Amino acid sequence: MKKRISMLAAACLLASSFSIPAGAAGKEEIKGSLVIAGGSLGSSNKAVYDAFIDRAGGAGKAKIGIIPAASGKMKSSNEFKADLVKYGVNPANVEILPISDHDFSDTDFDEKQWTENVNKLETVNQIKELDAIWFVGGDQLKITSTLFNDKAKRTKALDAIWDIYEKGAVIGGTSAGAAIMSDVMITGGDSLGGLKGEFTTKDQSNPDKEYAPVYIEKGLGFFQHGIVDQHFDERARLGRLAAAAVKYETNKKTNYSYGIDEDTALIVDNKTKTAEIAGRGGVTVVDTSKAKPARKNLHPVNNVELSFLSPGDKIDLKTKAFTFRSDKLDTRGYEYYSFKPLDATGVLTSYGRLKPYLSYSLVDNSSTDSVKSYLYDSKGKGFALTFSKTEGTNGYWGYQDGQKDDYSIVKVKMDVSPVKVSFKKDDKAFKDYKPSNFTVPSKQVRGDIKGNLVIAGGALGSTNESVYKSFIDLANGKTDAKFGIIPAASGSLKSSDTFKKDLIRYGVKEENIEILPITVTDYKSTENVDEADQWEKMKNTDEFAAKIKNLDAIWFVGGDQTNITKALLNADQSESKALTAIWDIYKEGAVLGGTSAGAAIMSDVMLAGGGSLDTLAKGFTDTYDGMQQQEGGPGYLERGLGFFQYGIIDQHFDNKARLGRLIATAYEKGNRNQLSYGIDEDTAMVVRNAEKKIEVVGRAGVTVVDLSEVQTNPAAQSQYKNIQLSSLAEGDAVDLKTKEFSISEHKVSTTGYEYGDYQAAPHSGVLTPHGTLSKFISYNLVDNFGEKEVKSYAFNQGKGVELTFRKTEKTDGFWGYKDGGKDDYSFVNAVLDIQPVSVKVK
């Protein structure tokens, strides 16, 4: 739901005398179950809908009631009903219950007339016929003010809901409908307010403050195993949940509290006292059993243990034991990564959301035992967050949806300390910066190119139909098109085999797909074949070049991009016959595609390594050391294959926070009359060469960097002004001739109609709401009337950069819904200034 993290004015049920009830006061053992969704539940999220419908008796039998009270419109309830019908429920068996204490703005009827229904026998009887109840999202106070009376006692309708729940019905809800599930209901506030130790039992929202105290009310108590919070990762609510848990749950039998991500559900079986995670995100479990409440503003949250569960994982609510998906492998003692991670300090931090940061930088990394992040206001007053391995820390890794990393984590310790962070302009901060020695290859005159490109940013999901269909449909439109897969980037043939299976799943005939013998790696999975030796010789044979010329599409899998260029370029950097053949079919109409490393090779200047802050601070290196260079360090450039003729490309863009390195590279080695492109994971740019047009497809976005108006200071390395940034999502496009953007028609302009009106704190680390680059700018700047600029910082060892994102007359935002009620943003022409700074942390 499109909603600012704010506390809406509402009747305070218990005023300042509020106290937490000892339990839900159910008289019987509860036989029913819960489906608690963290908000922004996608209409296509079959796993969550199936869980709810199955527990209600199945699509053929289930009788379901929808409670619309939380919303200001009837739209949410109507859409949820339509989704249930789509998943097979009989429309006659789905009722929108007349339960609300306010009018809905999208109906002619005044629903405020329903106020007394909660104590009418007719409503009670209606509820008692149901197998399931669903609470839509909105404002949780509207649910509790409707179902509790003026004395905070249950209405007859709530008693009836409890009655069917105890007898076996399923209760579900999303967003506000999740918040009401526990006795302790978090109604508002944020992580900074929570860590400051500020709590309230009345609405104290103030748009002029950069934080809000944690607003606690009495919930409905259906979930009896701790506090529930929602929109958890998207809105970075760990600080507020941990603070609330320390205050209200420490030394109780529960000790666990649960933060549920968007598009994800915690499914609770009361009979077996177990819970399971379903959906597309995760659940954060906060264990306060060893925590001790401290004095206000002094170490407010210490010795808290965090665990992160993914879809398919389970919790025994009696023993507090976790069970992980059977296909996952322990990481402890077998850590994949070995690099020194930077502190998580802002939008230039790789894996900048909480769970990815801890997964890659700490738990699956043998080189460190603790990592740090920050959360502070614009004056620098806030907290340092230290995350540490303990004896019980472990990670569990597997793939999901093809070859996307999927982590679960147990027992990471979190400690919080007050800090004051100060920044001072320092034009000499990066005096040791080294420019790149890379020489941009001379552009060959290729003539008209009839073929197209599908360039994916990495971690491409097997279910990402729009990307696969784009690639297949562009293969000359042939029903019998022939596809080649180049495995060179990968250390095994698994990625190629997986992509082949995906193509078959989307309708390509198996006999029309071939894994091409192009690599410099000897694959361990193949016996009696040394691919590095035998295949290396083939790239300059006429026979192999002729085979390539019979193909209509070629795909480059991910891995190490330098292995692709080594496999297709000769030692003197001339084109092999195989590469010339690829160019020939591309010019005549073939489609070329690739993901991750297969995207990096697409431009003439290939970004082969480096991190954002390190590249801005240190510049570039002439050496490449594999993993270390992939995860950080100075920038490293090599020659790419140049299939994309219109600028520089970077990939894994948002997840690995590569904005800084793309800007530095484009400034030094790019054509400033061209745009540069950062492609997010599970997303692709479709390049139509004949039309000179780029389209975005997939699940995230593409960041477009325009340096045509950039200003720099020769005396201050990495100081930039007037970088223009745009963020495009699926359905958006770029005209490569005019550099103009076209935005999907389902979106409306936000300029002059901004949804938010508040002061936004800087992006300071993993507990910053809307933490990805595109969402941080969309929510906090472009669609926020209260700010003309927002800031983020990145620093290490006392030196760093201040990033100032500004609105100008050319800035515009665009908003719509996708997949149900999920916010879908694009923006164009926000402006970024980068200033080197010295940093002190006290």
Side-chain angles (χ1 to χ4, degrees), residues 443-508:
K443 254 196 193 310
Q444 295 188 41
V445 179
R446 302 282 187 179
D448 291 338
I449 298 173
K450 299 176 185 176
N452 303 291
L453 301 170
V454 177
I455 311 174
L460 178 62
S462 294
T463 60
N464 196 331
E465 183 176 2
S466 61
V467 175
Y468 281 93
K469 286 293 188 184
S470 294
F471 182 63
I472 294 168
D473 290 347
L474 286 170
N476 277 344
K478 294 181 180 179
T479 56
D480 229 22
K482 292 182 170 53
F483 294 77
I485 301 171
I486 293 181
S490 183
S492 76
L493 289 175
K494 185 176 181 180
S495 298
S496 299
D497 289 333
T498 298
F499 190 76
K500 180 178 179 178
K501 290 175 184 176
D502 289 340
L503 290 177
I504 294 169
R505 184 167 148 221
Y506 285 106
V508 179

Side-chain angles (χ1 to χ4, degrees), residues 379-617:
K379 294 181 180 179
K381 293 181 67 175
F383 302 92
L385 315 159
T386 301
F387 302 94
S388 307
K389 292 177 182 174
T390 68
E391 290 184 0
T393 302
N394 201 355
Y396 302 87
W397 170 87
Y399 281 133
Q400 59 146 323
D401 192 15
Q403 290 190 302
K404 298 163 78 170
D405 286 340
D406 181 28
Y407 281 100
S408 301
I409 301 173
V410 295
K411 297 184 181 301
V412 170
K413 181 186 174 188
M414 180 178 75
D415 297 306
V416 180
S417 302
V419 293
K420 176 68 167 68
V421 187
S422 58
F423 304 95
K424 183 180 179 182
K425 179 180 176 181
D426 185 356
D427 290 347
K428 303 298 182 183
F430 305 145
K431 62 181 184 300
D432 296 327
Y433 181 99
K434 294 181 179 179
S436 172
N437 292 320
F438 171 74
T439 300
V440 179
S442 300
K443 254 196 193 310
Q444 295 188 41
V445 179
R446 302 282 187 179
D448 291 338
I449 298 173
K450 299 176 185 176
N452 303 291
L453 301 170
V454 177
I455 311 174
L460 178 62
S462 294
T463 60
N464 196 331
E465 183 176 2
S466 61
V467 175
Y468 281 93
K469 286 293 188 184
S470 294
F471 182 63
I472 294 168
D473 290 347
L474 286 170
N476 277 344
K478 294 181 180 179
T479 56
D480 229 22
K482 292 182 170 53
F483 294 77
I485 301 171
I486 293 181
S490 183
S492 76
L493 289 175
K494 185 176 181 180
S495 298
S496 299
D497 289 333
T498 298
F499 190 76
K500 180 178 179 178
K501 290 175 184 176
D502 289 340
L503 290 177
I504 294 169
R505 184 167 148 221
Y506 285 106
V508 179
K509 296 177 182 178
E510 182 174 3
E511 60 268 25
N512 288 351
I513 308 168
E514 181 176 0
I515 297 174
L516 300 174
I518 298 176
T519 191
V520 292
T521 303
D522 179 21
Y523 297 126
K524 296 178 182 178
S525 60
T526 58
E527 297 180 3
N528 303 321
V529 178
D530 183 348
E531 290 87 359
D533 177 55
Q534 296 180 32
W535 290 7
E536 167 72 14
K537 302 168 185 175
M538 298 179 67
K539 69 183 180 184
N540 280 306
T541 66
D542 292 332
E543 181 183 3
F544 185 52
K547 177 183 286 191
I548 289 174
K549 289 184 178 182
N550 285 324
L551 299 174
D552 302 292
I554 290 179
W555 185 266
F556 296 86
V557 301
D560 185 337
Q561 48 263 46
T562 63
N563 286 337
I564 300 176
T565 52
K566 286 176 187 173
L568 285 170
L569 293 170
N570 296 315
D572 63 359
Q573 293 294 288
S574 62
E575 290 181 6
S576 65
K577 290 184 177 180
L579 180 55
T580 299
I582 293 171
W583 265 106
D584 287 344
I585 64 171
Y586 175 44
K587 285 178 61 180
E588 290 304 312
V591 56
L592 308 183
T595 184
S596 185
I601 54 96
M602 290 289 178
S603 43
D604 286 313
V605 178
M606 183 173 77
L607 276 153
S612 276
L613 178 58
D614 283 333
T615 302
L616 290 171

Side-chain angles (χ1 to χ4, degrees), residues 171-337:
I171 308 295
T174 184
S175 187
I180 52 95
M181 291 288 179
S182 49
D183 286 316
V184 179
M185 182 174 78
I186 301 178
T187 301
D190 53 33
S191 284
L192 190 53
L195 296 183
K196 286 177 178 287
E198 297 191 18
F199 288 84
T200 181
T201 54
K202 58 184 179 180
D203 185 3
Q204 293 184 1
S205 57
N206 183 350
D208 295 328
K209 272 194 172 183
E210 295 174 6
Y211 72 94
V214 181
Y215 183 7
I216 300 293
E217 284 280 8
K218 176 182 175 181
L220 302 187
F222 300 122
F223 180 70
Q224 302 193 328
H225 305 279
I227 303 173
V228 168
D229 207 350
Q230 21 78 46
H231 293 283
F232 198 70
D233 183 63
E234 174 63 33
R235 299 184 185 179
R237 285 174 165 171
L238 174 62
R240 83 172 193 177
L241 178 60
V246 168
K247 185 175 179 67
Y248 293 109
E249 292 294 323
T250 301
N251 300 322
K252 290 188 178 181
K253 290 183 179 179
T254 52
N255 287 326
Y256 278 14
S257 294
Y258 302 83
I260 307 172
D261 294 345
E262 293 182 352
D263 216 8
T264 307
L266 181 69
I267 301 167
V268 181
D269 187 324
N270 285 300
K271 287 188 287 188
T272 61
K273 298 293 189 294
T274 60
E276 182 175 357
I277 290 79
R280 292 170 175 150
V283 172
T284 302
V285 182
V286 179
D287 180 357
T288 56
S289 59
K290 300 175 184 176
K292 295 180 180 179
R295 296 195 308 273
K296 184 178 178 181
N297 291 333
L298 181 61
H299 302 284
V301 176
N302 274 327
N303 208 19
V304 169
E305 280 194 341
L306 308 176
S307 297
F308 301 85
L309 308 183
S310 298
D313 296 341
K314 297 180 180 180
I315 310 166
D316 187 314
L317 296 168
K318 294 177 293 187
T319 65
K320 308 293 177 61
F322 302 126
T323 303
F324 300 100
R325 226 178 54 214
S326 59
D327 62 331
K328 286 186 174 178
L329 304 174
D330 289 26
T331 63
R332 185 167 181 163
Y334 303 93
E335 290 85 358
Y336 182 78
Y337 294 95

Side-chain angles (χ1 to χ4, degrees), residues 656-670:
K656 296 194 177 184
R658 286 173 164 170
L659 175 65
R661 79 174 198 177
L662 179 59
I663 288 170
T665 300
Y667 182 77
E668 282 206 24
K669 301 300 179 181

Side-chain angles (χ1 to χ4, degrees), residues 121 157 353 462 482 550 568 579 617 637 682 693 706 766 817:
L121 183 60
R353 302 308 305 132
S462 294
K482 292 182 170 53
N550 285 324
L568 285 170
L579 180 55
L637 306 179
D682 216 6
K693 181 181 180 181
D706 184 349
V766 295
Y817 279 133

Side-chain angles (χ1 to χ4, degrees), residues 466 683-684 693-701 728-734 741-747 824 826:
S466 61
T683 307
K693 181 181 180 181
I694 289 173
E695 299 169 353
V696 179
V697 297
R699 293 175 174 146
L728 307 181
E730 185 165 60
D732 300 339
V734 186
F741 303 106
S742 58
I743 306 299
S744 176
E745 291 182 355
H746 81 283
K747 296 181 183 178
D824 184 19
S826 303

